[in-house]
Amino acid sequence: MANIREIAKECNLSVATISRYINKKGNVSKKASEKIEEVIQRLNYTTNEHAKAIFSEQSNIIGLIFPDFLNPYFGEMATLLGGLLQDVGYKTILCFTEDDKEKEFNALKIMKGYRVDGIFIARAKCIDEISKMTIPVISFETIIENTIVVSADNYTGGRMACDYFLSKGKKKLAHLIGPRDFKAVMDRYNGFQDRAKEIGMDIDVLDFDLNLLDMKAVYERLATFDYKKYDAIFAFNDISAGFLIDYLKKIQIRVPEEISVIGFDNSFMAKFMSPSLTTMEQSIFDIVHRSYDLLMNAIKTGDKQFVSEKIPVKLIERDSV
Ligand code: XLF
């Protein structure tokens, strides 16, 4: 592949003129521009974006950091956000953390190396590093100083799930709780529990703090709960609701006739599950569009102020209750 010096030689112009043309900075005559463009096409030259970023301290790249895409919720989020960014000329770099702090730290290092103009990170753990960053960061769910935090109204979602079970006459409630170090998980649990307490009802908590990729461990854990005690279970997200329903089928407990299940997310899998999943929607469309607007504005203004945005949730009634 041709480099900038070869282009200059072929055009019989200086490297500085070629650089002005490529970077659209400064004057280049019409005649020279036409010549340069012709040579660029002929020699199949493409810009070295990495070198350009180091030179200009601006890369036109946005870093996206997600736990994984095995959870369809994050895959859908990244697809929508990546598309919006691409439409306005941004490139994206994608890293996965698997909810591991060290992997996240490395991902942040990669982003810095590429001089990204901004970052969107889901379920961040490296709070200190992120709060010290000078570029705008949108943090999905984790509260971090000097950062724009966007999350669903998880607490209200938990309360609404409880209210819905009560409205359907359910009396023996349990919550399948995810990792307690995720704020969103705790907010959902607190909302569900607080609402039950208000009417003098106790809920049971079924711990499901697992790597959901480890199927063996997942089904072993599900086998430890005594399902006879419940008529309704609120799962902390759609994917855990999916595992739960699958396990209940295996042990011949009927959903919703014997146990009703509510999930949280409304990822696209919810609609196709059997029975289709009643779930608390945290709208990917609203979260992504709000995050995108806030990120674009922060890049434009260079503002590094703490902002916390809560996106309302909505119950989607299907067949699992
Ligand atoms: O962190 C929470 C738990 O799982 C996140 O919003 C999710 O609901 C995605 O599935």
Side-chain angles (χ1 to χ4, degrees), residues 169-216:
K170 305 297 166 196
K171 295 200 164 57
K172 298 177 286 173
L173 308 189
H175 179 46
L176 190 67
I177 189 168
R180 290 173 192 245
D181 54 341
F182 300 154
K183 183 173 180 333
V185 166
M186 290 313 286
D187 286 351
R188 289 167 200 178
Y189 161 57
N190 286 327
F192 190 68
Q193 175 167 260
D194 287 356
R195 181 67 194 111
K197 262 195 200 144
E198 277 168 21
I199 58 147
M201 191 183 259
D202 279 333
I203 62 156
D204 269 5
V205 179
L206 314 176
D207 264 289
F208 204 55
D209 178 359
L210 297 171
N211 170 4
L212 296 183
L213 293 181
D214 185 350
M215 303 273 176
K216 192 165 169 276

Side-chain angles (χ1 to χ4, degrees), residues 71 73-74 123 140-141 184-185 188 236-237 264-265 282:
N71 183 339
Y73 190 79
F74 294 126
R123 230 152 64 178
F140 174 59
E141 294 184 343
V185 166
R188 289 167 200 178
F236 79 96
N237 66 5
F264 203 109
D265 284 342
Q282 47 168 349

Side-chain angles (χ1 to χ4, degrees), residues 16 137 150 169 188 249 292 296 309-310:
V137 178
V150 178
R188 289 167 200 178
K249 271 190 211 161
Y292 168 83
M296 291 301 109
E309 288 265 331
K310 268 209 180 108

Side-chain angles (χ1 to χ4, degrees), residues 76-82 84 120 150 283-294 311:
E76 282 175 69
M77 242 185 173
T79 308
L80 185 59
L81 182 55
L84 288 178
F120 176 95
V150 178
S283 163
I284 293 176
F285 184 91
D286 293 350
I287 289 171
V288 164
H289 277 265
R290 193 67 195 121
S291 299
Y292 168 83
D293 289 345
L294 290 164
I311 308 293

Side-chain angles (χ1 to χ4, degrees), residues 37 41 50 124 136 156 162 167 185 204 233 248 259 269 274 300:
E37 193 52 47
Q41 298 299 332
H50 194 48
T156 305
C162 185
S167 76
V185 166
D204 269 5
I233 301 177
L248 292 175
I259 296 185
M269 65 181 272
S274 174
K300 204 158 68 192

